[in-house]
Amino acid sequence: KLTTSPSSTGTSDVATIAKNAMPSIVSITNMSVQEVQSFFGGTQQQESTNVGSGIIIGQTDSELLILTNNHVVEGNEKLTVSFVDNESVSAVIKGADSTRDIAVIAVKLSDIKDSTMKEIAIATLGDSDSLQVGEPVIAIGNALGFGQSVTTGVVSAKDRELTGFEGKLIQTDAAINPGNSGGALVNANGEVIGINSAKL
């Protein structure tokens, strides 16, 4: 079994927190085929690639479970997960809730190299209800599809509501870019307290 990422309680050292959290963050590539209108009035199929992030949240006897945004993985023909050591494996959707923009995908343990298993970790989950406005947070994810990146900020507001989204949102001023979707928002203890879903 994987161990959880070590928690660095009481430290404000962003580099240490990020280093401890990164083994539990993955990059996700979603290849999909869409019907598009052609110039001459017919339709044709066009392949498109969507990139995002995910958080390793658990392990069963046969699978690694990864939390992400539904919009990162919906409509997929082929899902690929890349780990912190840049090894890539295919994944399948286990369940999704489009109203909350959340999905769980799975990777077979038998598809993951032993060397990769030594590099990755299950995320430590924190309590988002106990967040304070002004508390420092770190966003980690596959920004712009270039691989893992780290940005910092604070909790700007709690319990924000968004049209078409069921549930409450944490607002942060940490920079979020396309590709960050599905990645982790972590607190100063390195615990995941949110998932980066929307950029406004």
Side-chain angles (χ1 to χ4, degrees), residues 74-129:
E74 68 184 345
N76 76 90
E77 295 285 319
K78 182 184 177 200
L79 273 185
T80 307
V81 166
S82 297
F83 296 106
V84 68
D85 63 351
N86 293 321
E87 286 292 330
S88 298
V89 291
S90 61
V92 294
I93 295 179
K94 297 294 282 187
D97 180 349
S98 59
T99 62
R100 293 180 191 273
D101 195 19
I102 211 92
V104 173
I105 63 174
V107 170
K108 285 183 184 166
L109 292 179
S110 57
D111 289 345
I112 306 173
K113 289 181 176 178
D114 289 345
S115 57
T116 300
M117 287 298 287
K118 290 188 178 88
E119 296 286 327
I120 62 179
I122 294 169
T124 303
L125 300 182
D127 178 10
S128 57
D129 289 339

Side-chain angles (χ1 to χ4, degrees), residues 30-35 44-48 75-77:
N30 172 358
M31 297 282 289
S32 61
V33 176
Q34 295 168 336
E35 293 276 336
Q44 61 187 54
Q45 291 197 323
Q46 184 177 321
E47 205 174 69
S48 68
N76 76 90
E77 295 285 319

Side-chain angles (χ1 to χ4, degrees), residues 2-200:
L2 287 179
T3 56
T4 55
S5 302
S7 153
S8 46
T9 309
T11 178
S12 59
D13 181 353
V14 173
T16 303
I17 297 164
K19 186 179 175 187
N20 288 339
M22 275 186 165
S24 62
I25 311 299
V26 302
S27 300
I28 299 170
T29 305
N30 172 358
M31 297 282 289
S32 61
V33 176
Q34 295 168 336
E35 293 276 336
V36 292
Q37 204 76 29
S38 77
F39 184 70
F40 301 105
T43 59
Q44 61 187 54
Q45 291 197 323
Q46 184 177 321
E47 205 174 69
S48 68
T49 303
N50 189 20
V51 295
S53 308
I55 308 163
I56 301 171
I57 55 160
Q59 183 182 343
T60 68
D61 291 338
S62 60
E63 294 176 321
L64 203 61
L65 300 174
I66 296 162
L67 183 69
T68 186
N69 285 141
N70 182 63
H71 79 259
V72 170
V73 296
E74 68 184 345
N76 76 90
E77 295 285 319
K78 182 184 177 200
L79 273 185
T80 307
V81 166
S82 297
F83 296 106
V84 68
D85 63 351
N86 293 321
E87 286 292 330
S88 298
V89 291
S90 61
V92 294
I93 295 179
K94 297 294 282 187
D97 180 349
S98 59
T99 62
R100 293 180 191 273
D101 195 19
I102 211 92
V104 173
I105 63 174
V107 170
K108 285 183 184 166
L109 292 179
S110 57
D111 289 345
I112 306 173
K113 289 181 176 178
D114 289 345
S115 57
T116 300
M117 287 298 287
K118 290 188 178 88
E119 296 286 327
I120 62 179
I122 294 169
T124 303
L125 300 182
D127 178 10
S128 57
D129 289 339
S130 64
L131 276 181
Q132 303 287 319
V133 171
E135 188 176 324
V137 285
I138 301 166
I140 305 174
N142 180 20
L144 305 172
F146 293 136
Q148 286 191 6
S149 71
V150 175
T151 56
T152 62
V154 296
V155 175
S156 304
K158 294 169 60 177
D159 300 328
R160 291 288 199 219
E161 294 184 8
L162 205 57
T163 306
F165 182 87
E166 202 174 288
K168 307 278 186 174
L169 293 164
I170 301 162
Q171 183 183 336
T172 179
D173 65 348
I176 307 288
N177 292 290
N180 271 129
S181 290
L185 191 70
V186 302
N187 63 17
N189 293 333
E191 300 163 334
V192 176
I193 43 80
I195 182 167
N196 303 320
S197 297
K199 175 178 168 61
L200 296 177

